[in-house]
Amino acid sequence: MENEIIKYLSRYIPVTKELEEAISKSGFIQCFDKGTLLVEEGKFTQKCFFILKGCVRNYYIKDGEEKTTEFYTEEQAIIASANGKNIPSTYYLECMEPTIAAVSDPEFEEDMYRKFPELESLSRVMAEKILTKQIETFAEFKMASPEERYLNFLTTRPDLIQRVPQHQIASYLGIKPESLSRIRKRIMK
Amino acid sequence: MENEIIKYLSRYIPVTKELEEAISKSGFIQCFDKGTLLVEEGKFTQKCFFILKGCVRNYYIKDGEEKTTEFYTEEQAIIASANGKNIPSTYYLECMEPTIAAVSDPEFEEDMYRKFPELESLSRVMAEKILTKQIETFAEFKMASPEERYLNFLTTRPDLIQRVPQHQIASYLGIKPESLSRIRKRIMK
DNA sequence: TTCATTTCTTAACTTAAGTCAACGAGCAAA
DNA sequence: TTTGCTCGTTGACTTAAGTTAAGAAATGAA
């Protein structure tokens, strides 16, 4: 699986022998069982994840209910929200499937950036790319009705329909499960 | 105003004489009249902005209506969404007030990063920080009702109430102006 | 000042999402 | 196999947002 991350990196930067070795040695590729909580509310962690295989769900507990806000799948990065601070997590990250991920933390990253400055350049470019995508997605969400959001979801994340339960998708779309059920019925006509 | 951006930068990195000079000489601080469109739908531009003074509104035109999705004010960065590609803009950026901003583009940034690598490190940290904030804001938006969003807005962006018209705030909250009017009446009791 | 435009509010009505409850299908554990 | 969950659907009802239209208030230009 170290191979996978190197394949990914070499799409963007030349991967030298030294970098390849540093990555292979680091042992930062980890496997998680389905159901594993990578992050829990109230716990302190600064870990970041890059999904190589599997699916991770981001959810909050609000008014005693799970509110799913994001699904991360192959080649997506999960950035630590506890940015350098020692603050407890407000959310959970749960593996929806057996998941393989590159796991890192700020110290490891800083160390790698020192040794391989081109990695920090890549991180900068990636962070900006993900950020613009995120802003665009948020704008679309704001402008769309629940029904439009679902139709949009069908085309942008079709794989997720098979991978996660529908009531979590409802939550992800900002609506109740019963409403999603009715929307589905409506658009089938 | 060059002074302002240097003051901002020196909060995060030591600003050397050379860097200060490069910034002063670049002449990348620009002033815009109220009503100026920094970016227009269909036009090609790769400009980025960092607001020093003023307010910029991001909006789309959908179904013949303006849909406001973001407001940028002092010390906020507006990242170009046309990331390195030659694609036309899908949105507008309008100055809601006379605005002073640091204006840059990818070439200028690459040039500065080459000369001052510490700037790229700072950009990486900033992009990650803005990204995590953005993800959090999006999650809160999804989980909240229109009324909760407005109450949240009152505490997080109180200045905007005085600076922009209410129907644009409605749009920003993902609702119609009439609904916001009713929500305001409701919470006043 | 006057006039026009934009902005906000209100009202009546429609539509769709939320709520509550029930039910059946599918699945897994005992 | 039985039992207990989780999950999705449906129905009846409530609530609040969308729609349409009108008018009042504020703003800005002539």
Side-chain angles (χ1 to χ4, degrees):
Chain A
M1 251 336 192
E2 268 79 6
N3 212 27
E4 291 298 316
I5 188 108
I6 285 160
K7 241 162 70 183
Y8 178 82
L9 285 176
S10 58
R11 265 196 254 154
Y12 302 99
I13 53 172
V15 176
T16 62
K17 280 260 162 16
E18 290 77 25
L19 178 53
E20 192 171 335
E21 205 169 315
I23 287 170
S24 301
K25 272 189 191 158
S26 70
F28 76 139
I29 308 285
Q30 290 182 34
C31 299
F32 303 98
D33 291 338
K34 176 176 174 174
T36 305
L37 293 175
L38 302 175
V39 170
E40 286 176 73
E41 184 185 347
K43 300 253 174 103
F44 297 82
T45 177
Q46 295 229 69
K47 289 208 174 73
C48 291
F49 304 87
F50 182 84
I51 313 294
L52 296 167
K53 187 87 199 69
C55 176
V56 174
R57 174 173 73 107
N58 186 337
Y59 70 92
Y60 292 74
I61 294 193
K62 193 190 170 190
D63 309 325
E65 275 190 346
E66 287 186 8
K67 307 276 185 178
T68 299
T69 57
E70 196 54 80
F71 295 106
Y72 297 95
T73 53
E74 285 77 10
E75 301 205 354
Q76 286 194 298
I78 309 176
I79 310 290
S81 77
N83 234 341
K85 302 158 213 156
N86 239 21
I87 50 170
S89 172
T90 55
Y91 57 80
Y92 298 79
L93 287 177
E94 179 196 13
C95 296
M96 300 299 292
E97 304 169 357
T99 296
I100 306 171
V103 185
S104 89
D105 59 52
E107 292 121 82
F108 176 72
E109 275 173 35
E110 291 300 334
D111 188 47
M112 290 294 275
Y113 294 153
R114 245 190 314 277
K115 289 177 188 153
F116 307 97
E118 69 272 26
L119 270 188
E120 182 158 26
S121 276
L122 180 61
S123 285
R124 197 255 316 158
V125 171
M126 284 297 168
E128 286 179 4
K129 200 168 144 182
I130 297 168
L131 177 56
T132 56
K133 184 82 197 128
Q134 183 71 17
I135 290 171
E136 196 191 317
T137 305
F138 192 6
E140 272 165 19
F141 188 93
K142 272 186 187 175
M143 293 190 286
S145 66
E147 183 169 326
E148 287 173 316
R149 280 178 216 154
Y150 180 65
L151 291 170
N152 197 32
F153 175 79
L154 286 180
T155 64
T156 56
R157 317 275 319 248
D159 56 308
L160 284 179
I161 307 266
Q162 319 298 332
R163 299 173 84 170
V164 300
Q166 190 174 303
H167 69 275
Q168 290 174 2
I169 294 174
S171 183
Y172 173 81
L173 298 173
I175 56 176
K176 299 285 165 189
E178 296 92 331
S179 293
L180 179 53
S181 195
R182 270 184 234 122
I183 287 170
R184 281 162 51 82
K185 195 177 168 187
R186 209 158 64 213
I187 64 180
M188 278 193 297
K189 273 184 293 299
Chain B
M1 250 338 190
E2 269 79 7
N3 212 27
E4 290 299 315
I5 188 106
I6 285 160
K7 241 163 69 185
Y8 177 82
L9 285 176
S10 58
R11 265 196 252 155
Y12 302 99
I13 54 171
V15 176
T16 62
K17 278 260 159 25
E18 290 76 25
L19 177 53
E20 192 170 335
E21 207 168 313
I23 287 169
S24 301
K25 271 188 189 159
S26 70
F28 77 137
I29 306 285
Q30 290 182 34
C31 299
F32 304 97
D33 290 338
K34 177 175 172 174
T36 304
L37 293 176
L38 302 175
V39 170
E40 287 176 72
E41 185 185 345
K43 300 253 173 103
F44 297 82
T45 179
Q46 295 229 68
K47 289 208 174 72
C48 291
F49 304 87
F50 182 83
I51 313 294
L52 295 165
K53 187 86 199 70
C55 177
V56 173
R57 174 173 73 107
N58 186 337
Y59 70 92
Y60 292 74
I61 295 194
K62 193 190 171 190
D63 309 324
E65 277 191 345
E66 288 186 7
K67 306 276 186 177
T68 299
T69 56
E70 197 53 82
F71 294 106
Y72 296 95
T73 54
E74 285 77 12
E75 299 203 353
Q76 286 194 301
I78 309 176
I79 310 290
S81 77
N83 235 341
K85 302 157 212 156
N86 239 20
I87 49 168
S89 172
T90 55
Y91 57 81
Y92 297 81
L93 287 176
E94 179 196 14
C95 296
M96 301 300 292
E97 305 170 356
T99 296
I100 306 170
V103 185
S104 89
D105 60 51
E107 292 121 84
F108 177 72
E109 274 172 38
E110 291 299 336
D111 188 47
M112 289 295 276
Y113 293 155
R114 245 190 312 278
K115 290 176 187 154
F116 307 97
E118 70 272 26
L119 270 189
E120 183 159 27
S121 275
L122 180 61
S123 286
R124 197 256 314 159
V125 171
M126 284 298 167
E128 287 180 3
K129 199 168 143 180
I130 297 169
L131 176 57
T132 55
K133 183 83 197 127
Q134 183 71 17
I135 290 170
E136 196 192 318
T137 305
F138 191 8
E140 273 165 18
F141 188 93
K142 272 185 187 173
M143 292 190 287
S145 66
E147 183 168 328
E148 286 172 316
R149 281 179 216 154
Y150 180 65
L151 292 169
N152 197 32
F153 176 78
L154 286 179
T155 62
T156 55
R157 315 276 319 249
D159 56 307
L160 284 178
I161 307 266
Q162 319 297 331
R163 298 173 84 170
V164 300
Q166 190 175 303
H167 68 276
Q168 291 175 2
I169 294 174
S171 183
Y172 173 81
L173 298 174
I175 56 176
K176 299 284 165 190
E178 298 90 333
S179 294
L180 179 53
S181 197
R182 268 181 300 222
I183 287 170
R184 281 162 51 83
K185 195 177 168 187
R186 210 157 65 210
I187 63 181
M188 277 193 297
K189 273 183 296 297

